[in-house]
Amino acid sequence: MTDNMFRILDALDAFNDGIYIVNDDYSVTYMNRFMKELFGDGVGKKCYNVIMHSDKPCAWCKNNNVFENIETYTHEIFIESVEKTFSIVELPVQNRDGSRSKLSIYKDLTHELAQKAKLKSSEENYKRLFTHAGCGVFTSSKRGRFLDVNPALLTIMGYDDKEAFLSLDLAKDVYLQPADRKQYMETIEKEGSVIDYEVKWKRKDGAIVDILLTSNVRYGAQREILGYEGIVVDQTQRKNIENQLKEAHDFLNKIISCSPNAIMAMDLTGKIMLWNKGAEEAFGYTASDVVEKMSIQQVYSREIAVKLMEMMRGEDYGGKGRLNSYPLKFHNDNGEEMDGNLSAGIVYDENNAEIATVAIFVDLKERLKVERELGEAKQHLLQSEKLAAMGRLTSQIAHELNNPLFGIMNTLELMKTEISPQNKRRKLLDMSLSEIVRLADMLKKMLSFSKPDQEEKSKIDINTVLDELLMLYEKRLRENSIKLKVSLADNPGIILASKDQLRQVFINLFSNAMYAMSDGGVLEITTSIKGSNLHIKVSDTGVGIKQEHIEKIFDSFFTTKTESVKGVGLGLSVCYGFIQEHDGDISVQSKVGEGTSFLIQLPLLT
């Protein structure tokens, strides 16, 4: 191979296009560096094996045509093996020995095609943006004509015919004052652009439109000014709202400045727009401190503000947009507790859109204080009357109850003499006698209900107390279709307590549970240790307690039982008192239709 030939091949290797030569039988005789890097060294192999990894010639190949017709052919082919698109030129080459070969040149079009597709996509995106933008977009000439506008600008200006709009003289037909056009041109040409430039234009129907212009100068190749381009924002509605709010603000200030009640107005974000003298006195903030500087949420919390808006937007508190009355309690800026009544409403514009809220706060602190004192006095009087009535009642029935109780006690004592101490029935007899004794003791306590005796306390294992009671109640629960679930702690610890008082507490809870499950259910008793306290939980699946009764169930003489089985309402009150005497606590959770749970907490003996 001559030096010239080597130089030619070196030159071909330097090409950034693929070059290879094949004989008429498709055998590759030469591949330059570019082709080898893409497809590997295929000299001596069939070109279709190398390029397409195929066992037969490519469908697009013009091998025979090149050799027979001695013509040049060009194709644009995507080759999947290298994921590239090539412009392929196939042309005949005359060899020195008179034979012919085919020279193929592969020019990579992948990047070029990707750039074209990207440019096309970008042009389409810009076209969509121009067409569908919510604000007006325009290009205009220096001479004073629109060159192009988008549909949004036509809508803002009230035109349907784009060509008619493009024919308008900007100074005379669009600007409210022709001098405004001249001022705009001087400003933008001096600065090169304008941002939020305020100007008034005229709609087709003659209405004035408040416009915000953000635009820049369009220059030619020689930096000459060709015109302007930019966006147009219609701020007419915002301007109108601002003017209306200002007028309302001034008007309300004149009318309500002398009101003794606190009157406030806020925008929809809660920012305070109006704050009269009464509000200054009630809340402790001056108007200069809060107007357009503070949110109403900073005055009486975000939670209250959100709740008030929800109530005003509903229908249940005076109709939509109104809140007739809402009790409001908070601490003012001076730390003084405020207690009063708030009335509020939403302010709407002519399109029934919410634009603000207004509220009036009436300070009821003194009146509520007097009412509370009067109510407390009434409650004390009522309680005294109830206690007096209870005293009279118990004194009348004490004698009648004592006689049969002592008769039962004597009978039980007599029966004990006839039953061996080892007999299981003897234990039940002892427990029954103990209950009668305790009942007699309870009767004694009722006579001095207002001053209960202090019971002697001893070390108690709560599991023992519960086991004894459940033995008594097991048959009654079964007869009432009530399943019993018991989960007692293996080592519940020791408490210092009155056994009789605790038994009275659990008897009350068990009886109430049975009453709540008249159609059957589940009674669950659990004990557990929580820190230094013993927890006893008594739960039922009964009818539950209404929410309005939850806070009253431990009050004396309060009962939810029907008239036919109505008690005097002392059961849970007595339970509460007993637990308090033990430095413990009793609480209740209930849901109507699902059941009730009582939780008793007693301190463990350390």
Side-chain angles (χ1 to χ4, degrees):
M1 188 176 291
T2 66
D3 291 340
N4 286 337
M5 181 61 70
F6 278 117
R7 283 196 293 271
I8 292 172
L9 294 179
D10 288 341
L12 293 178
D13 276 340
F15 275 43
N16 287 326
D17 296 331
I19 300 174
Y20 72 96
I21 300 173
V22 298
N23 293 329
D24 57 359
D25 64 350
Y26 300 98
S27 297
V28 179
T29 61
Y30 170 77
M31 294 178 74
N32 74 340
R33 177 183 53 80
F34 183 90
M35 288 299 289
K36 288 178 180 178
E37 289 177 353
L38 276 179
F39 300 101
D41 189 354
V43 175
K45 300 178 182 179
K46 302 295 185 181
C47 61
Y48 46 81
N49 295 143
V50 178
I51 305 301
M52 302 299 288
H53 304 299
S54 175
D55 294 330
K56 55 184 179 180
C58 306
W60 46 267
C61 181
K62 300 297 183 181
N63 198 65
N64 294 334
N65 302 72
V66 171
F67 283 102
E68 293 175 4
N69 301 329
I70 317 178
E71 294 181 6
T72 299
Y73 294 89
T74 302
H75 325 277
E76 189 173 298
I77 302 297
F78 174 76
I79 297 180
E80 187 174 358
S81 62
V82 293
E83 295 185 347
K84 291 182 179 294
T85 301
F86 297 95
S87 172
I88 302 176
V89 178
E90 299 179 274
L91 66 159
V93 177
Q94 184 71 37
N95 299 319
R96 287 186 175 183
D97 60 1
S99 63
R100 290 193 183 94
S101 297
K102 183 184 73 170
L103 173 66
S104 296
I105 303 172
Y106 279 51
K107 181 176 181 61
D108 187 356
L109 300 179
T110 307
H111 181 70
E112 180 182 341
L113 292 175
Q115 288 297 102
K116 287 181 179 179
K118 186 176 180 180
L119 178 61
K120 182 179 179 182
S121 175
S122 179
E123 290 174 349
E124 291 175 350
N125 288 339
Y126 279 118
K127 188 178 293 184
R128 283 195 298 270
L129 179 62
F130 181 82
T131 303
H132 300 295
C135 58
V137 183
F138 73 91
T139 59
S140 66
S141 67
K142 184 176 174 63
R143 295 180 61 185
R145 292 284 193 278
F146 282 120
L147 301 177
D148 197 7
V149 297
N150 71 337
L153 184 53
L154 291 175
T155 301
I156 290 172
M157 299 303 292
Y159 285 83
D160 297 322
D161 187 346
K162 183 175 179 179
E163 294 303 320
F165 189 64
L166 295 180
S167 67
L168 296 177
D169 183 299
L170 289 173
K172 293 190 303 183
D173 302 325
V174 175
Y175 282 77
L176 183 63
Q177 300 293 337
D180 292 342
R181 167 69 177 174
K182 183 179 179 181
Q183 179 64 44
Y184 162 75
M185 292 173 62
E186 291 175 355
T187 302
I188 194 172
E189 290 179 11
K190 178 181 178 181
E191 303 292 337
S193 64
V194 294
I195 298 175
D196 291 344
Y197 185 88
E198 294 192 15
V199 67
K200 293 184 182 295
W201 285 3
K202 296 179 293 187
R203 285 172 52 90
K204 182 180 180 181
D205 58 8
I208 298 173
V209 185
D210 289 292
I211 294 297
L212 275 182
L213 279 175
T214 297
S215 57
N216 57 270
V217 177
R218 297 173 62 239
Y219 295 100
Q222 306 301 320
R223 294 295 293 174
E224 73 277 14
I225 296 176
L226 301 178
Y228 320 100
E229 61 189 6
I231 60 175
V232 175
V233 177
D234 179 4
Q235 61 168 358
T236 306
Q237 185 178 11
R238 184 172 68 84
K239 281 282 187 181
N240 289 340
I241 292 174
E242 287 177 355
N243 292 336
Q244 291 172 13
L245 283 176
K246 186 177 184 304
E247 291 173 3
H249 181 269
D250 295 339
F251 178 71
L252 288 173
N253 265 343
K254 294 175 183 178
I255 294 177
I256 66 178
S257 59
C258 62
S259 173
N261 296 324
I263 301 179
M264 307 154 283
M266 288 72 62
D267 67 13
L268 293 181
T269 67
K271 183 190 292 184
I272 297 170
M273 309 301 292
L274 175 66
W275 193 260
N276 76 334
K277 188 69 175 177
E280 291 182 343
E281 295 172 354
F283 295 93
Y285 298 98
T286 65
S288 59
D289 290 334
V290 300
V291 173
E292 296 188 350
K293 296 179 183 177
M294 284 179 58
S295 167
I296 196 66
Q297 299 171 1
Q298 296 172 265
V299 178
Y300 50 66
S301 86
R302 181 180 183 277
E303 290 75 14
I304 292 177
V306 171
K307 182 177 181 180
L308 292 175
M309 284 302 297
E310 291 176 351
M311 294 170 72
M312 282 189 284
R313 286 172 174 151
E315 299 282 353
D316 302 329
Y317 304 95
K320 186 176 181 181
R322 293 170 59 88
L323 175 60
N324 288 342
S325 179
Y326 179 78
L328 185 63
K329 183 181 290 187
F330 62 96
H331 287 84
N332 64 12
D333 190 43
N334 299 322
E336 182 183 3
E337 185 178 71
M338 302 299 297
D339 201 345
N341 189 273
L342 185 78
S343 299
I346 297 176
V347 180
Y348 298 91
D349 65 8
E350 64 277 8
N351 297 318
N352 204 35
E354 298 177 358
I355 58 172
T357 59
V358 61
I360 300 175
F361 176 77
V362 180
D363 186 359
L364 302 177
K365 180 176 60 179
E366 293 301 324
R367 193 179 84 183
L368 292 174
K369 180 181 178 182
V370 173
E371 289 179 355
R372 281 195 295 269
E373 291 174 350
L374 180 61
E376 289 173 1
K378 289 181 178 178
Q379 286 297 322
H380 287 310
L381 179 60
L382 180 61
Q383 187 73 357
S384 297
E385 291 176 351
K386 286 183 177 180
L387 289 173
M390 184 63 190
R392 291 192 297 269
L393 175 63
T394 53
S395 64
Q396 292 172 6
I397 65 174
H399 179 72
E400 295 298 329
L401 288 178
N402 275 326
N403 287 338
L405 282 177
F406 280 110
I408 295 172
M409 288 173 60
N410 291 334
T411 302
L412 292 175
E413 288 287 357
L414 181 62
M415 292 176 66
K416 283 174 60 177
T417 61
E418 300 179 1
I419 299 177
S420 170
Q422 288 75 32
N423 194 309
K424 184 177 179 181
R425 294 181 181 180
R426 175 65 176 266
K427 184 177 181 180
L428 292 175
L429 195 60
D430 287 338
M431 289 178 62
S432 299
L433 183 59
S434 174
E435 289 300 304
I436 295 299
V437 171
R438 189 173 60 83
L439 188 58
D441 191 50
M442 283 175 54
L443 184 60
K444 186 191 303 180
K445 283 183 171 57
M446 289 179 65
L447 293 172
S448 56
F449 177 74
S450 60
K451 296 180 180 179
D453 296 334
Q454 293 294 320
E455 288 287 339
E456 184 179 348
K457 297 176 182 176
S458 60
K459 295 179 180 180
I460 298 293
D461 181 339
I462 196 65
N463 286 359
T464 302
V465 176
L466 291 172
D467 283 337
E468 291 176 354
L469 286 176
L470 291 175
M471 185 180 295
L472 289 176
Y473 273 87
E474 186 175 6
K475 184 173 183 294
R476 292 179 60 191
L477 292 173
R478 189 166 54 250
E479 291 173 349
N480 287 275
S481 301
I482 296 175
K483 295 180 179 179
L484 181 63
K485 293 176 64 175
V486 181
S487 177
L488 304 182
D490 294 335
N491 183 16
I494 300 298
I495 59 174
L496 190 63
S498 165
K499 185 175 182 180
D500 285 343
Q501 287 184 350
L502 288 185
R503 285 162 61 91
Q504 180 61 34
V505 169
F506 293 123
I507 287 172
N508 269 301
L509 295 182
F510 295 167
S511 298
N512 286 346
M514 290 178 61
Y515 172 75
M517 297 185 290
S518 58
D519 295 327
V522 178
L523 176 63
E524 185 173 2
I525 299 111
T526 61
T527 61
S528 59
I529 302 296
K530 302 289 184 181
S532 60
N533 288 327
L534 170 66
H535 285 204
I536 308 109
K537 189 174 183 181
V538 178
S539 303
D540 65 64
T541 58
V543 294
I545 303 170
K546 295 180 180 179
Q547 192 62 36
E548 60 266 28
H549 295 158
I550 288 289
E551 296 181 359
K552 301 178 183 179
I553 61 170
F554 294 118
D555 292 349
S556 299
F557 305 103
F558 177 79
T559 180
T560 60
K561 295 180 180 179
T562 61
E563 291 297 327
S564 60
V565 292
K566 188 170 182 179
V568 293
L570 290 174
L572 291 176
S573 174
V574 171
C575 292
Y576 182 83
F578 286 166
I579 297 300
Q580 290 292 309
E581 286 180 19
H582 286 75
D583 297 323
D585 186 43
I586 180 170
S587 58
V588 61
Q589 290 184 339
S590 185
K591 192 169 184 180
V592 174
E594 295 185 10
T596 303
S597 292
F598 285 89
L599 176 63
I600 297 172
Q601 301 178 56
L602 295 170
L604 290 167
L605 187 62
T606 56

